[in-house]
Amino acid sequence: MLVSALKTLPFMLAASVAAGQPTNNRMVHHPGMLKYPITAFPGVPVRAINRRQMGNSLTNQLKGTFYSIDIEVGTPGQLVSVLFDTGSSELWVNPNCTKASNPSLCQQLGHFDSAKSSTFNDTGIKHVIGYGSGYVNMTYAYEAVKIGSAKLRNQLFGVAFDSKPENYGIFGAGPDLRGWDDPYPTVINTLAQQGFTSSRAYSLDLQSIESQRGSVIFGGIDTGKFSGHLEKRPVIPAEQSPDGATRFRIYLDGITVSTENGTEVTAFDKVDGQPVLLDSGATLSSLPGPIVNELLKGFPSAQARGPLYQVDCPVPGSNGTVNFKFGNAIIKVPLADFILQVDESSCALGVQQNDEMPVLGDTFLRAAYVVYDWDNRNIHLANSADCGSHLVAIGKGPDAVPLLTGDCRETAPTSTFIATSTSSVGYTNSTRLSSRSNTATPVPSNLTSAVTSTTLYTITSCFSNLQ
Ligand SMILES: *[C@@H]1O[C@H](CO)[C@@H](O)[C@H](O)[C@H]1NC(C)=O
Ligand SMILES: *[C@@H]1O[C@H](CO)[C@@H](O)[C@H](O)[C@H]1NC(C)=O
Ligand SMILES: *[C@@H]1O[C@H](CO)[C@@H](O)[C@H](O)[C@H]1NC(C)=O
Ligand SMILES: *[C@@H]1O[C@H](CO)[C@@H](O)[C@H](O)[C@H]1NC(C)=O
Ligand SMILES: *[C@@H]1O[C@H](CO)[C@@H](O)[C@H](O)[C@H]1NC(C)=O
Ligand SMILES: *[C@@H]1O[C@H](CO)[C@@H](O)[C@H](O)[C@H]1NC(C)=O
Ligand SMILES: *[C@@H]1O[C@H](CO)[C@@H](O)[C@H](O)[C@H]1NC(C)=O
């Protein structure tokens, strides 16, 4: 998600943990790599991106999916599920659930109790992060943080003592806004410094809307999860960026819509035409007005509803796609991943207008396999697929991310939106989605099942509220 951060942490804090030693605590079969499942939580309130959209009833009521990772904080470890966010850089836990937009979800994601940890090391330094739609006040501490088999020592993180309207803590996996080599010891830095990965790089594979097989691979790539070649794109340097900040932002060269009836609509087509931030913490994508207006021509049913667009739900088996061009790669997003279900008969386009801070969020990322290479300031991307698993380690140096082609065959994407449904519109109730999700879940932890069973598709009819 977008962060307008005011960062005040003194450098001395960072310096004290900068010299981590290599450790033997690695995954045995895959040295330098950690593959870890991402849990998709559908039915969660969508975070507003702009301050001016706060209080908008549609944005507040539209439900989306958020992507979390389970971590263990402290000694002994306490399980906490946090949003995996390529759009921010810090780890923090313990949102104030009283002020959360979904208090019951918030409570079920786990709470870290520092009094029960023998390794908690409080710094007493307080800090406020202002997100587009809220704030988090926290105190910095050093603590043991376990991600799968990797037990990070002395990870700097924030323990929130107040927040609004956050439902979950956040694992910021993006660079510090101040620079790639800023001394703030982010988790991605610590993974490399303490020897769990060879360099600061990871792959994120959210998988399609109905899948629970998404994963993040710290220090590695899974060629069984994409088709075609991984296209390498340079990250736009901070000094050339619209906001002067270091972020995972690359140029998008074009967008087209392939409609179900075979028509191709071009929303824009220009090399290096549009900088976009790749932000897994953003449910929706955001694009400038002129591009959105052209894109809408591919969706004749679209009607503006506040900042969003109501569109017809994709028909079962729809072969329509929204196509994003990056250099020599075209990422084809099936309509089911690009369009959000609102209720049984209404859907919303997964894009809103934002002229200042264009973002490709989950409505794009579900269809992409993306490698985030901090050390070389590159993004590599390909079409997401799922045809087995073959892990390749990311090494060090300029060619750390090898030239790779996915093991999966390129097939015409087809929306599985409601492919298993006998109804003509969308998910008719939460039971089906829940059972579909759970059968495919590699790691259905107790926490996960508890949350999904109570929060899946709390269906609200929100479009009507705006009319
Ligand atoms: C807590 O962190 C500070 C700053 O890094 C360090 O000087 C101190 O030794 C740590 N205390 C413990 C008990 O680890
Ligand atoms: C947390 O920060 C917000 C925004 O700066 C502020 O309004 C609020 O009073 C702070 N809360 C506490 C408990 O300090
Ligand atoms: C959470 O917010 C409520 C309402 O403002 C406040 O009373 C409570 O003290 C806060 N709790 C924590 C742990 O910050
Ligand atoms: C979808 O299928 C229809 C009917 O077979 C075909 O006319 C159309 O070209 C296809 N569209 C795409 C984007 O493949
Ligand atoms: C095909 O779809 C486009 C855009 O959705 C629409 O403008 C056009 O009229 C449609 N053509 C047919 C033959 O349905
Ligand atoms: C929900 O869907 C499931 C599976 O399709 C079905 O068995 C169940 O009867 C449905 N429940 C309701 C309340 O419609
Ligand atoms: C899930 O939690 C319940 C109690 O909350 C416990 O009895 C059960 O053993 C747990 N199941 C697993 C698979 O951990």
Side-chain angles (χ1 to χ4, degrees), residues 94-99 111 135 160-163:
N94 292 2
N96 184 333
C97 292
T98 321
K99 294 185 199 163
H111 181 92
Y135 59 82
F161 55 89
D162 194 20
S163 67

Side-chain angles (χ1 to χ4, degrees), residues 294-315:
E294 292 304 311
L295 183 71
L296 290 175
K297 292 179 182 166
F299 299 90
S301 63
Q303 286 182 287
R305 293 281 184 269
L308 298 182
Y309 301 93
Q310 181 173 5
V311 292
D312 289 346
C313 298
V315 296

